[in-house]
Amino acid sequence: MQYTPIEEYGAIGDGNTVALVGRDGSIDWCPLPHVESPSVFAAVLDADRGGRFAVRPAQSFESVQRYRDRTNVLETTFQTAAGAMTMSDFIPIAEAIDADDRPPAVYRKLDCEDGPLEVEIEFDPRFDYAQDVPEIEATADGVVAAGDDERAVLSSGLGLEPARDGRGASATATLEGGETHWLVLGYGEGIALEPARHRETLAETVEYWRDWTHDCDEETCPVGGRWHDLAIRSSLVLKLLSHRETGAVCAAPTTSLPEDCGGVRNWDYRYNWIRDAAFTVRALSELGHLAEARSYFELCLDHCSRHDPAAVPPVYGLHGGGDLEERVLDHLEGYRGSAPVRVGNAARNQHQLDVYGELVLALYESVRYGEPMRLDDWTVVCDLVDYVVEGWDEPDAGIWELRTDHEHFVYSKVMCWTALDRGIKLAEAADGVDAPLERWRTARDDIRAAILERGVSESANSFVRSFGDADTLDAATLLVPVVGFLPPDDDRVQGTIDATLDRLATDDGLVRRYEGDDGLPGVDNPFLVTSFWLVTALALAGRTDEARDRFESILEYVGPLGLLGEVVDPESGEQRGNYPQAYSHIGLLNSALYLADAAGSSDASLAPLGTDGADGIDSSAEIVRQSNDNE
């Protein structure tokens, strides 16, 4: 069977899980009950064995997808020679329908606008990453799938019949114009769905998303004009990837969608990476979602408080768990034959120094947006910054999580400097906190001197990938001006931008991550987030026209629904990697904010993250909440 292009999937979810719905009407990925749970449908990872839930016309058809305005409710419209039908797919939000203790349920509403239209339904669940093929039995109003330890119920009045071997169920029905039918998939025991409330459930779900969504006059929005709708969609993606109970943001809701088709760069991204913290806080805060920004940051800080500062893991499960043991599912062929399929992530056990800077920077950003830190926050941060004083000159795995020997990556050192710099600024601005400021200032100066002495290529006048490299580039050093290590007009910043344009960038806006060997076979395709970093660096450097042109070029790769994966195949133009990708959407949002500021069309003041002056902490505001509650 053929595989759907990644960008032709829409994503629906409820803060517990996310499902991918193809333009052909097939749900090809859905883990239940949580996004990091084993899959129930995984045809995206094996078109023959993975399992799917498809609803589509029996005849040849054309289809188009769109989201209902300012929601994560997906509509797929099918057109045939005989008629037309629109299918609305959504997963109700528990808070919206007053059902906090109910597992997720997938709703599919069929509206036949023009008939008669013959429709085919294929229900083929495969529990536990297709390792448990359930028996299907008929019920009074649908079918039930019972596996070894899992159970799912599909309710429908369209005459579903189990296959003769008891594996899967199907139906063919003729719909007349004006008819509406529902298919509702519930998961787990004790499922109680109310058919009389289906329409109300849809209305409540739409209302929830629209109440949450950033809503403003485009003329006064931080991201107004022609990029406004993309910014709204990106914020909705981040909310979709935010766990409703913990506030954790998963990097993506999928596993093992390949960075390079046919290659081995296939990873499980259904977890929370600390490195996303600072840029997530900024993006959500600028769009008015302060509660989500603070909740996400508090979760990251809470995770770090459970570990010795020298051994902070860079990634966590969405419920805070640390058991992310990486294993291979060799019974699945992988998307378009891209094996291995992995679950879990060995990066959990890596030492990554950049996370310390990203975490302290996130706290600084949170305070800058008006959220006082708790006394307990400061205790954790102080311990982390103290560790950086001792550990900054250790080698590490770096932001790109290389599975080779550790190196002295320049970006890791820059983020160690950032941890100290923002820790010092917080301590200086806050009343009632203790910190060894002289010790921290000395270490900050030492790191800065080491970076400028050992991390800059004299020949290229640019930052390099690691200490000791004569001339090897790393796109992560584009963030040097973003975190305020050097001003944007510094010759070494400009040199890094120019070297990136010359050696890592493509003519159509994309940017590869780095030069040099990373220990893996295959192609390292251009990453979208690094492409957005170049836009941001150009905007900060005052090269606004270049920044805007590259930004517009990147947007050509945005999928028809406004979603982004991790990388782009520059030859085919197709998206690759896990999807939709939080880091890519964070990059889009922040680049759009910087461009808006550079053009003078925004009230935001987006100089380097957390710098002094207009962008610094308001010293007259409450910086430390003297009690540790959240009241």
Side-chain angles (χ1 to χ4, degrees):
M1 296 182 71
Q2 292 187 337
Y3 286 87
T4 298
I6 290 172
E7 61 268 23
E8 291 186 8
Y9 282 108
I12 59 173
D14 68 336
N16 288 305
T17 193
V18 173
L20 295 187
V21 185
R23 197 168 66 186
D24 61 354
S26 181
I27 296 178
D28 288 346
W29 175 253
C30 185
L32 288 168
H34 301 287
V35 74
E36 72 268 57
S37 300
S39 61
V40 174
F41 307 112
V44 73
L45 295 178
D46 194 312
D48 291 325
R49 303 181 190 90
R52 59 172 45 84
F53 178 15
V55 180
R56 57 175 70 99
Q59 302 85 8
S60 176
F61 62 86
E62 294 182 353
S63 62
V64 64
Q65 286 182 311
R66 71 177 187 91
Y67 283 107
R68 287 204 186 185
D69 185 45
R70 294 177 26 242
T71 77
N72 281 316
V73 175
L74 182 68
E75 295 183 338
T76 306
T77 298
F78 300 95
Q79 183 73 51
T80 74
M85 175 185 76
T86 295
M87 178 165 60
S88 300
D89 286 310
F90 65 100
I91 303 178
I93 310 298
E95 304 96 291
I97 62 172
D98 194 25
D100 283 351
D101 59 346
R102 196 184 78 181
V106 179
Y107 281 63
R108 316 197 78 177
K109 176 176 179 263
L110 312 183
D111 288 307
C112 182
E113 291 100 3
D114 185 16
L117 184 69
E118 190 175 28
V119 174
E120 294 179 338
I121 301 166
E122 178 187 0
F123 178 63
D124 187 18
R126 304 288 177 97
F127 295 135
D128 192 19
Y129 303 113
Q131 295 175 106
D132 178 7
V133 181
E135 292 287 330
I136 308 291
E137 296 182 357
T139 66
D141 60 353
V143 294
V144 59
D148 294 338
D149 300 303
E150 297 181 79
R151 181 175 182 268
V153 175
L154 178 58
S155 299
S156 170
L158 292 176
L160 286 161
E161 294 184 1
R164 290 184 178 180
D165 61 3
R167 298 186 173 188
S170 61
T172 301
T174 299
L175 309 185
E176 300 293 339
E179 284 187 17
T180 295
H181 293 272
W182 293 82
L183 297 100
V184 181
L185 175 64
Y187 176 85
E189 299 292 338
I191 303 166
L193 301 173
E194 303 176 54
R197 290 198 75 253
H198 289 347
R199 290 183 182 276
E200 186 178 352
T201 298
L202 173 56
E204 290 166 342
T205 302
V206 168
E207 182 180 14
Y208 170 87
W209 288 117
R210 289 180 176 168
D211 286 347
W212 180 85
T213 303
H214 166 73
D215 184 19
C216 68
D217 183 343
E218 286 191 27
E219 294 182 0
T220 61
C221 177
V223 185
R226 61 186 181 279
W227 304 325
H228 185 264
D229 288 346
L230 277 175
I232 297 302
R233 179 51 49 197
S234 289
S235 69
L236 281 163
V237 170
L238 293 182
K239 182 63 173 175
L240 196 68
L241 301 182
S242 301
H243 196 278
R244 59 179 290 267
E245 295 176 6
T246 66
V249 179
C250 65
T254 57
T255 181
S256 299
L257 293 183
E259 297 172 16
D260 171 33
C261 274
V264 302
R265 299 168 186 261
N266 318 319
W267 317 106
D268 192 348
Y269 276 14
R270 295 174 296 159
Y271 310 114
N272 177 46
W273 266 260
I274 291 176
R275 79 163 51 93
D276 299 349
F279 297 100
T280 301
V281 167
R282 161 159 283 192
L284 289 174
S285 297
E286 282 293 335
L287 295 177
H289 303 303
L290 297 175
E292 284 79 6
R294 182 66 186 188
S295 176
Y296 174 60
F297 164 71
E298 289 289 357
L299 175 84
C300 292
L301 202 63
D302 180 63
H303 287 334
C304 293
S305 70
R306 303 177 191 177
H307 300 274
D308 182 279
V312 171
V315 57
Y316 298 86
L318 302 187
H319 291 84
D323 182 14
L324 308 185
E325 180 181 357
E326 187 172 295
R327 56 194 175 92
V328 170
L329 302 179
D330 53 15
H331 63 286
L332 297 176
E333 74 166 9
Y335 179 82
R336 294 186 180 176
S338 304
V341 173
R342 295 180 174 96
V343 294
N345 200 303
R348 161 77 182 183
N349 302 316
Q350 288 186 342
H351 184 48
Q352 298 177 21
L353 285 170
D354 62 291
V355 302
Y356 297 94
E358 275 128 8
L359 190 67
V360 180
L361 186 56
L363 175 60
Y364 192 94
E365 285 294 289
S366 200
V367 171
R368 192 170 70 85
Y369 282 103
E371 278 287 336
M373 62 179 170
R374 303 173 304 180
L375 286 175
D376 284 351
D377 293 345
W378 179 250
T379 300
V380 176
V381 168
C382 198
D383 288 343
L384 294 173
V385 176
D386 266 340
Y387 164 70
V388 172
V389 172
E390 302 295 334
W392 71 267
D393 60 349
E394 300 171 357
D396 74 324
I399 184 174
W400 304 123
E401 301 178 346
L402 300 188
R403 300 188 177 197
T404 55
D405 291 340
H406 287 185
E407 299 180 38
H408 289 278
F409 291 104
V410 171
Y411 178 71
S412 295
K413 309 306 181 188
V414 169
M415 293 314 294
C416 285
W417 176 92
T418 302
L420 285 156
D421 183 71
R422 299 317 192 275
I424 290 166
K425 287 185 166 94
L426 283 166
E428 289 174 338
D431 293 326
V433 299
D434 294 321
L437 287 176
E438 287 308 312
R439 183 167 175 264
W440 289 3
R441 291 185 184 114
T442 299
R444 179 180 61 176
D445 293 344
D446 289 345
I447 298 172
R448 180 182 178 85
I451 292 169
L452 296 179
E453 179 182 348
R454 302 170 61 192
V456 179
S457 164
E458 292 185 8
S459 60
N461 194 32
S462 72
F463 287 95
V464 294
R465 176 170 155 179
S466 61
F467 288 177
D469 275 345
D471 200 27
T472 306
L473 295 181
D474 181 351
T477 60
L478 290 167
L479 297 175
V480 162
V482 178
V483 300
F485 180 79
L486 286 178
D489 60 357
D490 186 278
D491 286 347
R492 290 156 293 192
V493 171
Q494 297 283 349
T496 301
I497 292 173
D498 290 336
T500 300
L501 284 165
D502 184 47
R503 290 157 52 187
L504 293 179
T506 68
D507 292 336
D508 49 2
L510 302 174
V511 176
R512 292 185 296 115
R513 290 182 294 172
Y514 44 71
E515 296 175 318
D517 180 41
D518 61 8
L520 291 171
V523 177
D524 184 45
N525 280 319
F527 269 51
L528 285 162
V529 71
T530 53
S531 306
F532 288 123
W533 288 348
L534 178 56
V535 171
T536 295
L538 285 165
L540 276 173
R543 297 162 65 168
T544 309
D545 289 343
E546 290 178 77
R548 185 181 297 106
D549 288 347
R550 296 197 72 86
F551 188 67
E552 295 283 5
S553 294
I554 300 167
L555 297 187
E556 293 295 320
Y557 295 104
V558 175
L561 290 167
L563 306 185
L564 290 169
E566 184 176 31
V567 305
V568 171
D569 182 332
E571 294 186 3
S572 68
E574 291 185 340
Q575 295 193 35
R576 298 281 185 260
N578 286 308
Y579 173 95
Q581 179 87 197
Y583 218 13
S584 298
H585 283 279
I586 292 165
L588 185 154
L589 281 169
N590 281 303
S591 289
L593 288 164
Y594 278 105
L595 277 170
D597 185 57
S601 61
S602 168
D603 291 334
S605 184
L606 293 175
L609 276 161
T611 52
D612 290 328
D615 257 334
I617 292 175
D618 181 357
S619 59
S620 65
E622 182 187 16
I623 296 172
V624 178
R625 183 180 288 121
Q626 294 304 312
S627 63
N628 281 323
D629 58 41
N630 290 315
E631 297 299 315

